[in-house]
Amino acid sequence: MKFLIVAALLVATVSAKSARIASLNNCGGPGAPITFSGTILTDPVPVPGVMHIDLTTDAKVAATQSDGLMVRKVTTRITDNFEVPCFNGIEGTCTFDFCAAFDTYPEKVCSLIPPDEPCSCPVEAGIYHAPDAFATFDASWLAIDGGFAGDYVSRTEIVSDIGSPNELVLGCIEVTFTLSAA
């Protein structure tokens, strides 16, 4: 469930132009303990507006605060390879604490979790299906250098021991979609 949220957050920072190239892909390696699947239901996504997502997360491992898991998200505008800077602490290209995100960004994280699941850490191992998940693109996106409308790809990883020689990517989701004027 928590992994769903992180995945959704990453998806929320992805965007694309009017080519309607929406996709959601699991990018974790073979045997990754956290996998993602689903469909982007809104394309193009109006800004400001909401991207609706049918999201399933299969977490074969639990996550607790003491695990120190981090989320590493990179969002890039495809047409000019522009890396969207981090804003609002969780949108664009950001790195943040997985468990802390539930308390710090509940409006961004909880919309990606099934409503019958708690929006908090710890997150138990299990399969979490959120057919009505959504990511909000607020007016902050309008200020992106070079304009916000266009094709984007957002890659979000759940990582243990980030930046160390023992760094391990536990799960990865990549979302590609279109952002357009509302």
Side-chain angles (χ1 to χ4, degrees):
M1 169 181 79
K2 307 313 183 202
F3 299 110
L4 273 177
I5 294 174
V6 171
L9 294 173
L10 297 179
V11 170
T13 57
V14 175
S15 65
K17 201 170 184 176
S18 59
R20 297 200 180 200
I21 58 172
S23 67
L24 184 156
N25 297 299
N26 181 63
C27 50
I34 304 167
T35 59
F36 303 95
S37 62
T39 304
I40 304 299
L41 303 173
T42 307
D43 190 52
V45 178
V47 177
V50 174
M51 177 184 3
H52 297 276
I53 310 157
D54 182 345
L55 180 64
T56 299
T57 302
D58 185 352
K60 295 184 178 17
V61 295
T64 66
Q65 184 67 42
S66 64
D67 293 332
L69 299 180
M70 299 294 288
V71 175
R72 177 173 47 212
K73 184 173 67 164
V74 177
T75 302
T76 306
R77 186 171 48 223
I78 296 170
T79 55
D80 60 357
N81 204 33
F82 174 75
E83 191 172 287
V84 177
C86 184
F87 59 96
N88 299 329
I90 195 167
E91 298 177 76
T93 299
C94 304
T95 300
F96 51 91
D97 183 280
F98 176 80
C99 280
F102 293 100
D103 294 328
T104 309
Y105 311 107
E107 72 285 353
K108 298 290 184 182
V109 175
C110 297
S111 65
L112 302 171
I113 298 173
D116 58 335
E117 295 290 340
C119 183
S120 62
C121 229
V123 178
E124 298 299 322
I127 297 174
Y128 299 95
H129 182 217
D132 299 318
F134 65 91
T136 302
F137 289 83
D138 63 24
S140 300
W141 282 87
L142 298 173
I144 293 175
D145 286 347
F148 70 93
D151 298 332
Y152 291 77
V153 61
S154 185
R155 181 183 181 101
T156 302
E157 299 172 329
I158 301 168
V159 184
S160 68
D161 297 321
I162 196 165
S164 80
N166 296 324
E167 179 176 300
L168 178 64
V169 175
L170 300 173
C172 179
I173 184 171
E174 188 170 271
V175 180
T176 306
F177 63 96
T178 300
L179 289 183
S180 64

